[in-house]
Structure formats: C-alpha cells, structure tokens
Amino acid sequence: PKMKEDNCLHAALICLGMLYYSHAITTEKLNHTRPSLHGHHEKGKEGQVLHRSKRGWVWNQFFVIEEYTGPDPVLVGRLHSDIDSGDGNIKYILSGEGAGIIFVIDDKSGNIHATKTLDREERAQYTLTAQAVDRNTNRPLEPPSEFIVKVQDINDNPPEFLHENYHANVPERSNVGTSVIQVTASDADDPTYGNSAKLVYSILEGQPYFSVEAQTGIIRTALPNMDREAKEEYHVVIQAKDMGGHMGGLSGTTKVTITLTDVNDNPPKFPQSVYQMSVSEAAVPGEVVGRVEAKDPDIGENGLVAYSIIDGDGMDMFEITTDYETQEGVVKLKKVLDFETKKSYSLKVEAANVHIDPKFISNGPFKDTVTVKISVEDADEPPVFLKPSYIFEVQENAASGTVVGKVHAKDPDAANSAIRYSIDRHTDLERYFIINAEDGNIKTIKALDREEIAWHNISVFAVEVHKQHQEAKVPVAIKVIDVNDNAPKFAAAYEAFVCENARSNQQFITISADDKDDSANGPRFIFSLPPEIIHNPNFTLRDNRDNTASVLVRREGFSRQKQDLYLLPIVISDGGLPPMSSTNTLTIRVCGCDSNGSLLSCNAEAYILNAGLSTGALIAILACIVILLVIVVLFVTLKRQKKEPLIVFEEEDVRENIITYDDEGGGEEDTEAFDIATLQNPDGINGFIPRKDIKPEYQYMPRPGLRPAPNSVDVDDFINTRIQEADNDPTAPPYDSIQIYGYEGRGSVAGSLSSLESATTDSDLDYDYLQNWGPRFKKLADLYGSKDTFDDDS
C-alpha cells in the first residue's frame, strides 16, 4: 500500500508541474524566435524592420521531480521541430550540463529522459542546448536553442540545528518569561516552494520549567522562583518540525543545558546555637582557640561571610578573624590568661554576608549570631615573683651577714608548691652575697667598697621544690651606699715655681682636690695650713671656697743660692660626716725670672755658672769639644785602616815578612808611563773594599820525609824543601779568594777587560807552561791547558 501511495503522489506532482509551467512555456516560446518571413514586424536599432516568425520548437516538459526512484528513466520533456515531417530525416542533438550522462535524448523523437536520480539540494537546475540537424548531411536545420531543466523540490530534508548541544545560564528567582537562549534550526529544502522549509519549534523535555516560542526558537522561563539551591541544572530538549508542524513533516532536535546562576537570596546560618572551646592558660597571644562556621548555601561573593564579636565578657581577651578560604571564623587569644583568676569566658559572635542584593532584602536579615563559651585549662606554671625586678641598698663596709633585702615568689598553680631561692653565680662571681633558700633574704658575705663597685646586678632563681624544671628568674640591683672613708687628695701632682723677684702676696699657683667618695661625702673641700706652720714666713694659703685654693708669696726676695726648694704641707678636709682630711705636700721651686715674670732657669748650678760665663759662651765651648772629639775619632779610624795588613799571619810565623814599598816610580808627574786616573774607580774611590781571603780552618801537618836533617848545612836542600812544603801547604798564604771587579772603566774604547768569555774564543796561545808552575796553578792549567794535557790527566 505504501508503494502505491508513493506512485500516486508522484503522478499528482507531475500533473501539477505541467500546469504550473504551461504559462512559462508560452513565454519561453516567445523569447526563443528565429527570423522568418511571416510574423510580426519589429523595428531594429538602425531603423530597419525585423520580421519575427513563430518559434518552431514545441516544449512539453521543463522540470523533473527530485529523488525519483521508478524502474524506468523519468521523462523530462520532448523536443520537436515544425519542419519535422516524421520521416526520420531530422536528428535531434542535446548538449550542455549533464547531457549524455544525466540527460539522454532520443535523436528521432526528441524525447529527453533523466537516467539518474536528481537531488535539488545538490543542484537545483541544469542548462542544456538542443539542435535539429539533417540526419544525412548533419546540416543544422534549426539554430541551437538553450533551455533550462529545473529540479522540482520534495520534502526530503529534516530540519537541523546549528549546534547539537546548547548551554545557557539564567539567574535563579527570575520572573516568568525571562529569555534564556534562542536556538535556530535550518532546512535544506526549497523555502519558496510549499512548506517543506517552514519550521515550527516545540519543547519535548523541560516542562514545566521552561517554554519555547514556536516561530523564533527563544527559550523562556515558565516557572516562578526557581531555586538554585534546590536544583541548579536543567536539561531541555527542543524540536524543530517542517511542513509548518503538520503531519508528514520532518523534524530535528537539540539539547539545551540550562544552569541557574546564584543570587544572594539566603542568609548565613549557624548549624548550632552554642560552641564549646577550651584553651590553656599557658597559651601565648595569637594562638588559635577554635573555629566557628555559619552555613550559607549561596556561592561566590554571595556566600562570603564576615565574623565579629559583638558581646561577651571575653571581648578583651579574645578576637575573631575570617578565613575566606574555608569561610570560617577563627577565634584567637588576645591576652594572657590566668586560670586562677578566671576559668571561663563567653562570647557572642555574629556572621553576616559581605555582599547583599537589594532585590532580596526582604529575605533578610542576612546575618546570624551564636554563643561561644571558652573554658580556661589549668597549666603547670613556673613560680612568679611579686615584682618584675628588685632594687636594694646597703652601706659600704657593712659587716658580713648584713641583710640587703628580701625577694618573694609564689606558685601560681592551685597546688601552691613551696619555693626555693638561689643566686645565679654567673652574676656574682666574687660571691659578695648569699640568699636564704627558704625565705629569700639576701645578705652580704664580705665588705663592700662603693669606690670599687657602686652597683651589684645579680639574678635570683625561684624553683618549685617538687618540680625542679619549673623555675623563674628575677633581676636584683643592689646599690652600695657611700660612707666617708676616703680623705681628699690633690687632684694632680702639683709642682709650683716661684720667681726670685716675686712680690709680696703674689699668687703663683691654684690647687684643687679630688675625693673618691660620693658627692655627699666629698666637696665642699676645705684647704688650710697645718697649725704648726700657720704663720709660715714664706708662703700663705687662701681658700677660694669653690673647692680650690690659691698659694701666695708672703715675703719678697728669694735666692736660689740659699734655698732653691721649699716643701709646703697643706691640709684638705671634705664635707662628710664625720669629715676626713689629709695632709698633702706642695713642692715649690725657686727660679730665675726676667722682668716680665717669665721663667728662665730653676737650677742652682746654672745660677753659679752664670756668674762667669754667659749662655752663648757655654754653648760655643760645648760645640768645640764635640768637634774635637769627632776629629780624633776619624783620625784613629784612618790609622787603623792604613795599618791593617792585607794578609793575616800567624803570630808564631816570624820567618816570612812582607815589605811594603811606597815608591810608585815617578808618581803623578810620571805621565809617560800610564794615566793613573784611567785605572781608578771613581764610584768606589772613597770606599774601603777589604780583602776576601779565606783562611783555612785546618792546619797542615808537613810530611816528615820532606824535612831535612836538623844538622844539614845544604842550603839548596833546605830551600827546595821549604818551597815544596809551601807549594803543597793549603794553609799557607795567599789563600783562595774571590775578588769581584765591579768596575771596568767608563767609556772604554777597548771594551771589557774581563776574561770570562776568553774560553769561547779561538786563541793560538799555548798554556802548557802552566803545568810547570806547581800545584797552586793546577786548576788554571786544567782550564787553559792543551787538549792533550787534559787527556793525559784523565
């Protein structure tokens, strides 16, 4: 039955197509005319009259249905010429798009068939050219004529959405009809023919939350007060159907995922009404006590919560901060706790949203409160001194065992353990003090001297008896109170000078005093002369009442010859109770002064010399004496250098003498021999260059066989024996020496006189005679002897 319905449908469409294109055929005939002698006249461009004749083609069909799947090729149309008499002499030829492949023509009848199924969505029309020719001669009988074959559309393409899946967001609590997203589908069928491409949208899944507009595809909310916290994501299926949504149309679907975005429509709420926390009294400020959390189902900035303490007896002891990562309130210790003072605290904590949406202010208040109870736990604390530091006073020179002061500590724990005290010996290395371990009384062990140490800074430990690890430490400063135990003395080692011509009551020195005691036992100082010399005829003392005193001359005229030194005792008393005094001696020298009072000399001997000689004469005499001494020393030195022998002789060797001849020939006047100035070394002419002879450290013992008989009178034998001994005696002078010749003359045209390079020169000199000069020249003979000699020696 379905096949039958399809064939009927195709036949009906063909009939409709023939009627639809009948008017187009007539128009096409009029447009494709060829010149003829019969017909209408038409004026050309140049004024000539054109004759239009009736078109010779007959058009039967101009379209073909797409997707035709019949057993026979579908007839597209028929070509026929009015000159065709049916005798078969005319041949029809088809060319153009698809000719011979898609479209074939019967060259006798002119019928055109489509051999392949056509798809309008692939190609909507084809342009072909037809021509009638003589079958025998192939001569064109009609001019070529162009025509179009259109593919008739059928509803063979379903609607397709641009995307397979859509994602959209819409705020929660949105009003009904709020636009969410628009989905769009397209249909490949011909929109200008029938309803094949007319689409209608409908919702298949997603009711009753959302709806879609049938013509536009816009999705809108359909339910009021949708809550994200109840359901956040919705899956909606939208259908697009062609044929205007009527039966028989094709359809396509797409999925739309719609997410509700958050708004601040929920206030924070604590899950419980009371939080219980505990903290040790040993905790330090800043330590975390606990955490509280208010639940807010909103997310993002809508769920941000800030915490604060708004009431409670622990507001001064605790604080709360917000941890924005965990959205928790962190309770921290603010001050040090004391279990024995207060064992528990209460706080009222508020949690409030940071950002509030005015649209939902009626859902408020967007905050909540909770009670936090904090209990303080007892901790084993070290002893605590009643004071952070102690200051005591004790007099110097106090007897051993004098009480300085008392420290006191207690155990802050409920057990109230007993305390033991001790002194940190690192702070009292000299062991001046001792402390009673039970009551904390500090006493002296030995006498104290304020002038040596005015303050003693020690540390005292307090330790629980049963818990030695629990200890406390407190600084103790002990001030040593001054006692007047030091007498005043001169502030410096004074030495006064008085002129011989000093006037009566003339002041020549001012003295002051120094006292090691404190200012209360020191100044003011009182200066006086001892009672036994209060009427001293030479000097007198005046107390200036400013801790200084002036010494004055009582009489005129002093003489260094009679007395050049005076010792004046002075008594100095301090202002202590009882006062202390000391007698200090002032040394006064008598000096010679000029008329202006300037000192010239304070020596008595110099005064005696002045009677006969002046100062300038004394200086001249001393200078002459020094010059004479220098001359004598130089003379002696030169004599010693001149008499020093060039060779050191043994004292017992008296048989050999060196005779010095000072005769140098003609001397400086003998200019014919040589120029003596050329041989002198100007750089070292004034220097003394000693010999560098080296005396052997061992003594040579002559061989006994060489010495002649003591009674021998043969002088030749004696002399030869002595010569041989001298030649073979290494201890006899001249000794081996190294002479350094640092000067070879300035600007010498002869060049160097050194023989250091002579060994490398080619010389014809024969040095064989050196072999006969004895063992003393053996080394020189080895160096300069002939090659044959060297070979013989070796």
Side-chain angles (χ1 to χ4, degrees), residues 499-537:
C499 294
E500 289 181 311
N501 56 356
R503 301 184 304 274
S504 177
N505 292 327
Q506 180 181 352
Q507 174 183 337
F508 59 90
I509 190 173
T510 300
I511 60 175
S512 62
D514 188 15
D515 195 331
K516 293 182 179 180
D517 291 323
D518 196 3
S519 58
N521 294 316
R524 108 166 169 84
F525 298 121
I526 300 173
F527 299 87
S528 61
L529 296 177
E532 60 272 15
I533 62 168
I534 194 169
H535 299 293
N536 188 302

Side-chain angles (χ1 to χ4, degrees), residues 480-776:
V480 181
I481 301 175
D482 184 51
V483 174
N484 193 19
D485 57 347
N486 289 279
K489 296 181 179 179
F490 278 158
Y494 294 108
E495 187 173 2
F497 302 92
V498 63
C499 294
E500 289 181 311
N501 56 356
R503 301 184 304 274
S504 177
N505 292 327
Q506 180 181 352
Q507 174 183 337
F508 59 90
I509 190 173
T510 300
I511 60 175
S512 62
D514 188 15
D515 195 331
K516 293 182 179 180
D517 291 323
D518 196 3
S519 58
N521 294 316
R524 108 166 169 84
F525 298 121
I526 300 173
F527 299 87
S528 61
L529 296 177
E532 60 272 15
I533 62 168
I534 194 169
H535 299 293
N536 188 302
N538 300 316
F539 307 100
T540 183
L541 185 70
R542 182 181 66 203
D543 193 337
N544 297 326
R545 299 183 179 276
D546 59 355
N547 296 324
T548 63
S550 300
V551 181
L552 298 86
V553 177
R554 173 168 286 185
R555 65 179 179 84
E556 295 182 355
F558 289 90
S559 174
R560 282 181 289 173
Q561 292 179 333
K562 295 181 179 179
Q563 185 174 354
D564 63 340
L565 185 67
Y566 293 90
L567 300 177
L568 180 66
I570 299 175
V571 178
I572 308 175
S573 300
D574 58 23
L577 292 175
M580 294 194 69
S581 61
S582 64
T583 301
N584 302 266
T585 302
L586 178 64
T587 301
I588 303 173
R589 292 187 178 276
V590 179
C591 301
C593 303
D594 57 12
S595 58
N596 297 326
S598 300
L599 295 178
L600 295 178
S601 175
C602 297
N603 196 331
E605 289 77 4
Y607 177 81
I608 297 173
L609 290 174
N610 274 340
L613 295 173
S614 65
T615 302
L618 289 175
I619 293 174
I621 292 172
L622 291 175
C624 291
I625 293 173
V626 171
I627 292 172
L628 290 175
L629 289 175
V630 170
I631 292 173
V632 171
V633 170
L634 291 176
F635 180 78
V636 173
T637 302
L638 293 175
K639 282 293 185 181
R640 287 184 179 180
Q641 291 180 356
K642 187 174 182 180
K643 291 181 178 181
E644 184 178 355
L646 295 177
I647 301 176
V648 180
F649 295 96
E650 296 182 0
E651 294 181 358
E652 64 273 14
D653 192 356
V654 296
R655 291 167 295 179
E656 296 179 8
N657 298 308
I658 296 176
I659 301 174
T660 302
Y661 296 94
D662 293 333
D663 187 3
E664 295 181 356
E668 294 180 356
E669 296 179 359
D670 188 1
T671 59
E672 295 180 358
F674 54 86
D675 187 359
I676 192 64
T678 304
L679 300 179
Q680 291 180 345
N681 183 359
D683 296 333
I685 193 169
N686 295 326
F688 173 70
I689 303 177
R691 288 176 61 94
K692 297 179 178 59
D693 294 344
I694 301 174
K695 184 178 181 181
E697 297 179 356
Y698 59 91
Q699 296 293 330
Y700 171 73
M701 299 301 293
R703 287 175 290 183
L706 299 177
R707 187 175 299 276
N711 297 325
S712 176
V713 295
D714 191 347
V715 178
D716 294 336
D717 293 339
F718 179 82
I719 292 174
N720 291 331
T721 301
R722 284 300 183 187
I723 290 173
Q724 188 174 4
E725 287 181 356
D727 290 339
N728 294 284
D729 186 3
T731 63
Y735 310 119
D736 291 341
S737 62
I738 298 175
Q739 298 295 333
I740 298 173
Y741 299 93
Y743 182 74
E744 296 181 351
R746 291 182 178 176
S748 173
V749 297
S752 174
L753 300 178
S754 172
S755 63
L756 295 177
E757 299 179 356
S758 61
T760 61
T761 59
D762 297 334
S763 176
D764 296 335
L765 295 178
D766 186 7
Y767 296 97
D768 291 342
Y769 58 87
L770 294 175
Q771 301 291 336
N772 303 325
W773 284 15
R776 291 189 178 277

Side-chain angles (χ1 to χ4, degrees), residues 15-37:
C15 295
L16 290 173
M18 293 175 65
L19 294 174
Y20 179 79
Y21 282 98
S22 61
H23 178 70
I25 292 170
T26 306
T27 306
E28 192 71 22
K29 285 182 178 181
L30 294 175
N31 292 335
H32 292 82
T33 61
R34 55 187 174 86
S36 177
L37 296 177

